[in-house]
């Protein structure tokens, strides 16, 4: 994609304040609105003024479990406007609308050569920060984008595409990676357990791959939203036995593949039972470490395959950008709640305790300046 260049010194920076507001993680279930310094950038880096940042389940788990040291500023589904560029940056200019990935692999190590990018040591380094230990930084007014992300992980947003739509590029990429790992065939049936925003995206991508998609969720409100995306074959888990229901509509076999898009481990046995002998089960939301009881004969005798998929794939970066920017799916319509930055704590609490009418929740520092200059 074409990226405008500039060599004018006056176009390399804007008047940027020295301090900003940010939602700072201070410990288990402790996030506070604080004034922090606006990050300085290096010659190959850029500063992005955040417009929209989606709240991801992985951020919520880090906050609720205290798995990461404090202080930190989380948020990695980020879109915004370039506010400052380093002296050696010639791919972007001030005023460009961008989304940024926060992880990019080295492309050369053992894991990269085997296409297991999320295990690459360089990938595990976070390349965006609003201060403190780099942790994404999207829950702040400005975020510093480091050199390797500027070079390979920053994407221009076309004029006709909203910041809200663009902030879905990274989560869409993770979903594409999961669907690719399942290797769905056109005559297969896939069950997607959980119809939050990620479950809906996974369902749409499963149908895009040619599979028959069945969804399930406790909340009829979510199944109704999923149906608006064409996912109209569904089971309300609060009213029916999903395992038996799926077997009934698959000639007694069960689903060819099942995707567990709900956090926690209690539904893993259900996903295994809903899957036919020789089928596959994908764990997509099980990011918290722990133990779970699994029937080993289901894997050995019944030849079921248990898969995992985590984070994004650089090999799918261009495809995920095309999918989002061309509007193959109206992703912004998945947003149920929008909070200004000042209400980040409330936003995170709602996201951590989802309600029947809540889907994607975003924090929007840009609500204070959209339509105005930087």
């Amino acid at each position: 994609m074409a990226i405008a260049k500039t060599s004018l010194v006056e176009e390399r920076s804007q008047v940027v304040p020295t301090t900003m507001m940010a939602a700072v993680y201070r410990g288990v279930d402790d996030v506070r609105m604080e004034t922090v310094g606006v990050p300085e950038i290096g010659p190959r880096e850029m500063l992005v003024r955040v417009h929209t940042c989606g709240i991801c389940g992985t951020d919520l788990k880090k906050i609720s479990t205290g798995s990461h040291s404090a202080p930190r500023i989380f948020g990695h589904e980020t879109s915004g406007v370039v506010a400052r560029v380093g002296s050696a940056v010639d791919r972007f200019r001030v005023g460009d609308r961008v989304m940024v990935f926060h992880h990019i692999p080295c492309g050369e190590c053992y894991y990269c050569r085997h296409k297991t990018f999320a295990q690459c040591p360089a990938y595990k380094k976070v390349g965006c920060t609003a201060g403190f230990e780099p942790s994404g930084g999207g829950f702040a007014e400005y975020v510093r984008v480091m050199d390797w992300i500027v070079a390979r992980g920053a994407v221009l947003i076309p004029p006709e595409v909203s910041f809200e739509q663009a902030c879905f590029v990274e989560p869409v990429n993770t979903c594409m990676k999961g669907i690719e790992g399942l290797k769905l065939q056109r005559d297969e049936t896939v069950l997607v357990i959980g119809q939050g925003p990620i479950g809906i995206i996974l369902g749409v991508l499963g149908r895009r791959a040619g599979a028959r998609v069945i969804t399930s969720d406790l909340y009829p409100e979510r199944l109704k939203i999923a149906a608006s995306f064409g996912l109209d074959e569904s089971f309300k888990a609060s009213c029916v036995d999903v395992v038996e229901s799926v077997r009934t509509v698959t000639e007694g076999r069960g689903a060819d593949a099942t995707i567990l898009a709900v956090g926690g481990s209690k539904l893993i046995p259900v996903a295994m039972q809903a899957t036919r002998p020789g089928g596959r089960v994908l764990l997509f939301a099980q990011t918290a470490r722990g133990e779970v009881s699994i029937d080993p004969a289901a894997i050995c005798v019944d030849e079921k395959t248990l898969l995992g998929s985590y984070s994004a794939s650089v090999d799918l970066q261009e495809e995920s950008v095309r999918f989002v920017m061309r509007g193959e799916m109206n992703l912004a319509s998945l947003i149920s709640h929008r909070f200004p930055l000042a209400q980040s704590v409330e936003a995170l609490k709602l996201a951590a305790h989802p309600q029947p009418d809540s889907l994607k929740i975003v924090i929007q520092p840009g609500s204070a300046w959209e339509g105005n200059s930087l």
Side-chain angles (χ1 to χ4, degrees), residues 113-163:
R113 293 197 304 272
H114 289 79
K115 304 294 184 181
T116 316
F117 300 113
Q119 307 309 317
C120 163
Y123 186 93
K124 292 177 181 292
K125 291 174 56 181
V126 180
C128 298
T129 182
F132 309 115
E133 184 72 18
S135 301
F139 302 155
E141 292 184 74
Y142 291 89
V143 63
R144 170 190 165 206
V145 183
M146 299 181 197
D147 54 359
W148 70 95
I149 305 294
V150 172
R152 294 182 289 132
V155 178
L156 276 177
I157 303 172
E160 69 277 8
V161 177
S162 70
F163 290 112

Side-chain angles (χ1 to χ4, degrees), residues 22 33 65 96 162 167 226 230 239 304 372:
M33 294 308 301
T65 63
D96 282 343
S162 70
C167 80
C239 298
K304 299 181 184 182
N372 300 318

Side-chain angles (χ1 to χ4, degrees), residues 10 14 51 64 79 83 100 106 117 125 161 164 179 196 198 264 297 309 318:
E10 60 267 28
Q14 277 274 348
H51 182 281
S64 66
S79 62
V100 290
C106 71
F117 300 113
K125 291 174 56 181
V161 177
E164 292 184 349
I179 294 297
I198 290 296
S309 183
E318 291 187 5

Side-chain angles (χ1 to χ4, degrees), residues 6 50 120 163-164 225 330 348:
T6 179
V50 179
C120 163
F163 290 112
E164 292 184 349
I225 295 170
N330 182 7
L348 291 165

Side-chain angles (χ1 to χ4, degrees), residues 15 73 95 126 314:
V15 177
I73 301 172
V126 180
V314 70

Side-chain angles (χ1 to χ4, degrees), residues 305-342:
T305 300
L306 188 60
L307 303 166
S309 183
Y310 180 70
S311 201
S313 168
V314 70
D315 279 356
L316 296 170
Q317 188 165 307
E318 291 187 5
E319 183 180 357
S320 63
V321 169
R322 285 195 302 269
F323 180 89
V324 173
M325 302 305 184
R326 293 178 182 178
E328 289 191 40
M329 181 179 179
N330 182 7
L331 293 151
S333 68
L334 292 173
I335 298 174
S336 62
H337 294 77
R338 299 163 174 83
F339 288 84
L341 179 63

Side-chain angles (χ1 to χ4, degrees), residues 18 30 32 41 44 75 110 114 117 130 134 179 205 215 254 257 278 283 371:
T18 57
D30 184 4
R32 311 172 191 174
I41 62 170
R44 292 179 173 80
Y110 177 90
H114 289 79
F117 300 113
I179 294 297
L205 292 175
T215 65
L283 304 186

Side-chain angles (χ1 to χ4, degrees), residues 61 175 178-179 182 190-196 198-200 202-203 214 216-217 242 257-275 280-287 292 294 306-309:
K61 288 169 186 174
C175 292
I179 294 297
L182 272 179
V190 57
L191 168 66
V192 184
I193 300 176
Q195 288 298 280
I198 290 296
I200 292 174
L202 285 163
I214 300 173
S216 72
D217 199 280
V242 173
T258 299
I259 303 173
L260 189 52
V262 178
S265 58
K266 64 181 181 179
L267 289 177
I268 295 176
V270 175
M272 295 290 287
Q273 293 163 21
T275 305
R280 295 93 69 203
V281 174
L282 173 65
L283 304 186
F284 192 85
Q286 283 58 50
T287 58
V292 63
I294 295 176
L306 188 60
L307 303 166
S309 183

